[in-house]
């Protein structure tokens, strides 16, 4: 799609579908006079619509997403609805010729992801996937270190994800149910798997996993079906230890601890671990090359990435090089990544071209997460991950242009 019209002082007019947990993306994107503004929004919840009306007083507020897609005062669409609805809604917007931003993950099955990519290809409408971690300063720093050759050629990547607020964020609403997420090795891990793929320069081809519902499955303190989330469902310093959690989702059938092994298509071996009942929240990446290794300590401003690459030794805490993770220009949303994500989407919706985020990579992260979930629930039996149709892959690698 070319020649996207603008309004006011060059603002891209945005229609937002969904204003729940990821409503922060809409608020970040609403920058009247600075490139983009929200002009229409839809959500099925009346309370949420009232909140949106206060946040965007000049926008059309509706309970019907079709009105947003069809609104002539909308240039592009932000799909911020629950994961299992992404493909159906985004397909409608693509078929209407609206550039689309889809919040990660792309969807909850490989088949739905492929359907969405085929729709974007068939319509020629621009599709963008909001994998914001590619814009996180710590991830950019690690990728730059690897690109400079400081650890040589990457051979293996290990990722540990400590989800300190897991009991609040993932076991008190729809995230706790397979029918809406497939599992947290897809819904949650797709973000880290995408980064792992990006750092390693390849995509998962074989995956094996083990896991269990070790803590929250046995907690009897569930809400009744239809009962809303409790007002104190999340407190920054509360609900610890895990057995003190109350008001959990009526149905919990996703795992809260998982271990994954991956073989990538370029020979890199990788491992990912996810735990939802640790006291602290952070990610630890270790990337080992044939000439050294790097590791991050913390993942926000003030965190560091250390590199060992000068000599063989016994364990030594002092690194050969240490890099401080730079502070983001804007600390709003995922350590400043969300504003950069919106900047990239606005540019892409207007001009097209290659982006740091990738619909193909988003699909491959979902495929790895879905395959890992299948393996976990089959007692650890390995699963092969099929590649994307080469024609589709080439289309997106060219920046969504025809040859």
């Amino acid at each position: 799609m070319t020649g996207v019209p603008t309004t006011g002082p060059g603002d891209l007019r945005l229609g937002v579908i969904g204003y729940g947990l990821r409503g922060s993306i809409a608020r970040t994107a609403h920058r009247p006079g600075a490139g983009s503004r929200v002009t229409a929004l839809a959500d099925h919840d009346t309370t949420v619509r009232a909140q949106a009306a206060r946040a965007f007083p000049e926008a059309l507020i509706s309970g019907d997403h079709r009105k947003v897609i069809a609104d002539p005062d909308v240039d592009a669409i932000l799909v911020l609805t629950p994961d299992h609805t992404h493909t159906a809604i985004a397909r409608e917007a693509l078929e209407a010729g609206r550039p689309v931003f889809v919040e990660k993950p792309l969807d909850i099955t490989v088949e739905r992801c492929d359907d969405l990519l085929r729709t974007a290809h068939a319509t020629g409408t621009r599709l963008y996937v909001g994998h914001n971690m590619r814009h996180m300063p710590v991830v950019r720093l690690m990728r730059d270190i690897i690109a400079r050759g400081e650890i040589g050629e990457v051979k293996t990547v290990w990722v540990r994800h400590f989800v300190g607020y897991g009991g609040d964020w993932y076991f008190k609403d729809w995230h706790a149910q397979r029918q809406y997420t497939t599992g947290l090795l897809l819904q949650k891990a797709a973000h880290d798997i995408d980064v792992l793929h990006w750092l390693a320069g390849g995509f998962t081809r074989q995956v094996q996993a083990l896991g269990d519902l070790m803590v929250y499955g046995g907690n009897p303190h569930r809400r009744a079906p239809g009962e809303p989330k409790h007002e104190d469902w999340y407190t920054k310093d509360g609900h610890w230890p895990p057995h003190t959690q109350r008001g959990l989702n009526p149905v919990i059938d996703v795992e809260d601890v998982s271990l994954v092994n991956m073989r990538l298509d370029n020979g890199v071996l990788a491992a990912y671990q996810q735990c939802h009942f640790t006291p602290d929240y952070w990610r630890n990446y270790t990337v080992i090359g044939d000439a050294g290794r790097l590791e991050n300590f913390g993942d926000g401003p003030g965190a560091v990435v250390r590199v060992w690459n000068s000599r063989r030794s016994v364990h030594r805490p002092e690194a050969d090089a240490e890099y401080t993770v730079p502070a983001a220009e804007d600390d709003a949303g995922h350590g400043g990544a969300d504003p950069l994500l919106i900047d990239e989407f606005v540019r892409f919706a207007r001009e097209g071209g290659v982006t740091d985020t990738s619909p193909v990579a988003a699909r491959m992260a979902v495929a790895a997460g879905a395959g890992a979930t299948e393996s976990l629930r089959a007692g650890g039996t390995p699963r092969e991950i099929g590649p994307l149709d080469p024609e589709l892959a080439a289309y997106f690698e060219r920046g969504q242009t025809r040859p």
Side-chain angles (χ1 to χ4, degrees):
M1 182 178 181
T2 59
V4 175
T6 61
T7 186
D11 289 336
L12 188 74
R13 301 172 298 182
L14 300 173
V16 176
I17 302 176
Y19 192 60
L21 291 174
R22 296 300 283 133
S24 59
I25 287 285
R27 294 188 292 274
T28 297
H30 187 57
R31 302 177 292 194
S36 59
R37 70 177 68 199
V38 173
T39 57
L41 183 146
D43 197 287
H44 66 85
D45 189 300
T46 56
T47 300
V48 170
R49 290 201 299 274
Q51 295 170 354
R54 291 191 293 271
F56 314 109
E58 298 181 1
L60 166 73
I61 307 296
S62 174
D64 185 352
H65 72 275
R66 297 173 186 85
K67 290 184 178 180
V68 171
I69 293 173
D71 191 330
D73 290 326
V74 166
D75 301 318
I77 300 292
L78 304 181
V79 178
L80 309 180
T81 54
D83 304 343
H84 67 288
T85 67
H86 286 175
T87 292
I89 294 173
R91 187 195 301 117
E92 292 183 43
L94 291 170
E95 291 174 344
R98 302 281 199 255
V100 174
F101 173 110
V102 178
E103 174 64 346
K104 82 289 183 191
L106 193 56
D107 208 301
I108 67 169
T109 71
V110 179
E111 294 75 19
R112 292 184 188 178
C113 291
D114 288 353
D115 179 36
L116 189 52
L117 297 186
R118 284 192 293 267
T119 300
H121 177 257
T123 61
T125 309
R126 293 172 186 153
L127 172 65
Y128 184 90
V129 184
H131 271 281
N132 49 21
M133 284 188 65
R134 290 195 177 206
H135 288 285
M136 288 177 66
V138 66
V139 172
R140 308 287 283 206
L141 176 58
M142 290 189 293
R143 193 165 187 268
D144 289 346
I145 292 168
I146 293 168
R148 292 196 296 265
E150 292 192 33
I151 62 171
E153 182 180 344
V154 174
K155 295 299 181 182
T156 188
V157 182
W158 306 334
V159 182
R160 296 183 300 165
H161 193 180
F162 307 97
V163 191
Y165 297 107
D168 300 287
W169 294 347
Y170 299 97
F171 292 89
K172 292 182 178 175
D173 62 13
W174 57 269
H175 292 84
Q177 296 183 239
R178 298 181 184 187
Q179 64 175 313
Y180 302 127
T181 64
T182 293
L184 296 176
L185 277 180
L186 191 162
Q187 200 286 328
K188 185 63 176 167
H191 316 159
D192 284 293
I193 292 173
D194 177 63
V195 171
L196 185 157
H197 286 166
W198 206 37
L199 297 179
F203 294 132
T204 298
R205 284 289 174 261
Q206 187 179 51
V207 63
Q208 180 274 333
L210 295 172
D212 205 347
L213 182 52
M214 301 178 71
V215 171
Y216 296 114
N219 189 317
H221 301 287
R222 313 287 181 90
R223 301 192 314 278
E227 181 185 352
K229 288 169 69 171
H230 298 174
E231 290 187 2
D232 66 344
W233 66 273
Y234 163 74
T235 59
K236 185 175 181 180
D237 299 315
H239 304 317
W240 181 262
H243 70 261
T244 66
Q245 291 281 6
R246 298 294 185 266
L248 297 176
N249 201 60
V251 176
I252 297 177
D253 59 6
V254 298
E255 295 76 17
D256 52 27
V257 63
S258 307
L259 316 171
V260 184
N261 295 312
M262 293 165 272
R263 184 186 299 275
L264 276 55
D265 53 13
N266 59 0
V268 170
L269 296 176
Y272 171 81
Q273 302 176 12
Q274 181 184 117
C275 181
H276 282 262
F277 48 92
T278 65
D280 51 345
Y281 188 102
W282 69 297
R283 294 171 166 92
N284 173 250
Y285 283 82
T286 299
V287 184
I288 302 174
D290 58 9
R293 73 177 173 93
L294 68 77
E295 185 173 359
N296 73 298
F297 293 82
D299 53 19
V304 298
V305 176
R306 294 177 180 147
V307 176
W308 290 263
N309 62 1
S310 69
R311 59 189 172 90
R312 192 186 305 276
S313 70
V314 296
H315 170 70
R316 52 190 170 95
E318 72 280 3
D320 295 302
E322 180 174 298
Y323 302 92
T324 300
V325 175
E329 293 183 9
D330 183 338
D331 63 1
H334 292 91
D338 286 354
L340 299 175
L341 195 72
I342 291 299
D343 287 344
E344 186 172 63
F345 172 66
V346 169
R347 189 271 300 167
F348 174 68
R350 291 186 183 280
E351 305 169 8
V354 176
T355 58
D356 281 339
T357 69
S358 160
V360 171
R363 182 266 190 191
M364 295 306 299
V366 167
T373 302
E374 290 179 10
S375 171
L376 182 158
R377 293 172 184 164
T381 305
R383 291 291 189 269
E384 299 293 326
I385 307 300
L388 181 64
D389 180 301
E391 182 181 2
L392 281 178
Y395 172 75
F396 286 100
E397 287 167 4
R398 289 192 302 266
Q400 303 181 42
T401 60
R402 308 294 181 190

